[in-house]
């Protein structure tokens, strides 16, 4: 995993979009905004089972995001994933293979790009604005973890009055990380 501030240039979102000079973001800075990260090893299934038990994740599935894996739905799915949105549940992804980018908003609404690849497990908190895109390899295979039944319901921005969004913002305010 590598995280840094996104350059906001209006070019292919699958490119790295690193600012010059590079503005890295540490795992601790991500944790401060509720984004959790683990690098899992070869025994990733037992490590995922332990994390599931600790965080009360009850269900999982696998998703392959590629032109071959999504077929005719590929372009529309990639576009949907890259729309800025939030969820009323955590978004948990373990990368089995491939790579991509999660972009999350920090406490003052700047984009942080998180490059993920094989072995990375990422937890985005309920209520955080985010988006996802593949990188130029156009392939990622992930395990998705869920607290309840598998669901993926994006609530596109603006959703500032959404209870999950308000809860998230209040958690940042309590830490002095946003207005």
């Amino acid at each position: 995993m590598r995280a840094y501030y996104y350059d906001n240039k209006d070019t292919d979102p699958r490119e790295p979009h690193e600012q010059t000079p590079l503005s890295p973001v540490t795992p601790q800075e991500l944790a401060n905004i509720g984004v959790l990260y683990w690098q899992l090893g070869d025994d990733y299934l037992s490590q995922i089972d332990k994390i599931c038990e600790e965080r009360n994740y009850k269900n999982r599935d696998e998703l392959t995001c590629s032109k071959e894996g999504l077929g005719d739905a590929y372009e529309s799915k990639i576009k949907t994933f890259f729309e800025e949105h939030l969820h009323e549940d955590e978004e948990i992804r373990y990368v089995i293979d491939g790579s991509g980018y999660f972009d999350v908003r920090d406490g003052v609404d700047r984009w942080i790009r998180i490059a993920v690849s094989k072995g990375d497990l990422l937890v985005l908190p309920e209520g955080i604005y985010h988006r996802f895109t593949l990188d130029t390899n156009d392939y990622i295979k992930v395990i998705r973890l869920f607290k309840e039944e598998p669901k993926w319901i994006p609530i596109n921005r603006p959703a500032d009055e959404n209870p999950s969004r308000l809860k998230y913002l209040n958690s940042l305010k309590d830490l002095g990380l946003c207005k």
Side-chain angles (χ1 to χ4, degrees):
M1 184 275 301
R2 207 165 47 86
Y4 50 88
Y5 282 97
Y6 187 84
D7 69 8
N8 291 313
K9 292 182 180 166
D10 191 21
T11 57
D12 185 349
R14 298 172 311 134
E15 296 294 333
H17 286 274
E18 296 176 273
Q19 290 184 351
T20 306
L22 186 62
S23 300
V25 176
T26 67
Q28 182 57 54
E29 289 172 297
L30 291 176
N32 289 346
I33 60 169
V35 176
L36 305 178
Y37 168 77
W38 289 266
Q39 172 65 44
L40 304 185
D42 291 337
D43 63 339
Y44 68 89
L45 288 175
S46 64
Q47 294 171 325
I48 287 173
D49 288 341
K50 183 177 182 220
I51 291 167
C52 286
E53 186 175 322
E54 290 169 358
R55 299 188 60 81
N56 201 27
Y57 302 144
K58 297 181 183 120
N59 290 293
R60 66 181 80 175
D61 67 10
E62 288 186 13
L63 174 70
T64 300
C65 190
S66 67
K67 289 179 182 177
E68 294 78 26
L70 295 173
D72 292 341
Y74 174 79
E75 291 298 333
S76 65
K77 283 286 188 191
I78 293 300
K79 186 176 179 179
T80 299
F81 294 159
F82 199 66
E83 285 288 322
E84 185 173 3
H85 63 276
L86 61 82
H87 300 287
E88 293 178 329
D89 296 305
E90 291 180 335
E91 181 164 330
I92 310 100
R93 301 292 182 264
Y94 172 72
V95 182
I96 298 171
D97 195 22
S99 51
Y101 299 114
F102 283 91
D103 298 334
V104 298
R105 293 282 189 180
D106 71 3
V108 292
D109 221 28
R110 296 175 296 181
W111 281 118
I112 297 172
R113 173 147 279 193
I114 305 167
V116 294
S117 58
K118 183 178 179 176
D120 292 336
L121 187 142
L122 196 66
V123 177
L124 304 183
E126 168 188 342
I128 193 171
Y129 282 129
H130 66 282
R131 60 191 183 190
F132 172 79
T133 190
L134 293 171
D135 60 16
T136 55
N137 295 316
D138 282 322
Y139 173 79
I140 196 167
K141 182 175 182 179
V142 298
I143 295 175
R144 304 185 307 170
L145 304 172
F146 304 92
K147 289 197 175 196
E148 301 299 331
E149 289 302 312
K151 64 179 179 178
W152 187 86
I153 301 170
I155 300 167
N156 288 348
R157 190 172 189 174
D160 294 331
E161 298 305 316
N162 177 282
S164 291
R165 180 66 181 165
L166 294 172
K167 177 180 165 185
Y168 175 71
L169 289 175
N170 283 334
S171 72
L172 293 182
K173 286 178 188 172
D174 290 347
L175 295 171
L177 297 174
C178 76
K179 300 174 189 176

